[in-house]
Amino acid sequence: MDSRLVGGVGNIYASEALFRAGIRPTRAANRISLARFSRLVDAVRETLTDAIAKGGSTLRDYVDSRGERGYFQLDYAVYGRDGEPCRVCGTPIRAIRLGGRASYFCPICQR
Ligand SMILES: [Zn+2]
């Protein structure tokens, strides 16, 4: 698989999993407690499981074997939603660039 595709998908899942875990993308990995890190691991697993169950792809141009677009993208909590209200608290989602990649987060739900 093209590594750029994998990287792109990873970026989407990272934003979504961090939201589920309530962790800001700017938080340094070595400043996360073991309990929160464990929650993040669970969140990554849940995010991937959901993505597979809902069509298996977050790629915008993804088309499955029946010619239908993957639709996990419709369920994004934060990814690509900067300025739109958080689905949990209504606060506008923010976008920041980290290491050249866009990360999306809710400033209230994620600490
Ligand atoms: Zn929120």
Side-chain angles (χ1 to χ4, degrees), residues 36-96:
R36 295 188 84 199
F37 187 76
S38 169
R39 209 158 84 205
L40 178 57
V41 171
D42 287 344
V44 170
R45 187 182 300 122
E46 289 166 13
T47 302
L48 294 174
T49 302
D50 273 12
I52 290 164
K54 290 171 182 170
S57 180
T58 61
L59 298 173
R60 273 192 205 95
D61 56 354
Y62 171 79
V63 175
D64 70 17
S65 57
R66 292 167 301 175
E68 293 175 5
R69 286 173 173 272
Y71 52 91
F72 179 64
Q73 56 190 323
L74 299 178
D75 290 340
Y76 290 160
V78 291
Y79 188 85
R81 300 190 64 238
D82 48 313
E84 294 177 33
C86 169
R87 298 194 203 281
V88 174
C89 73
T91 302
I93 298 300
R94 288 193 198 157
I96 48 163

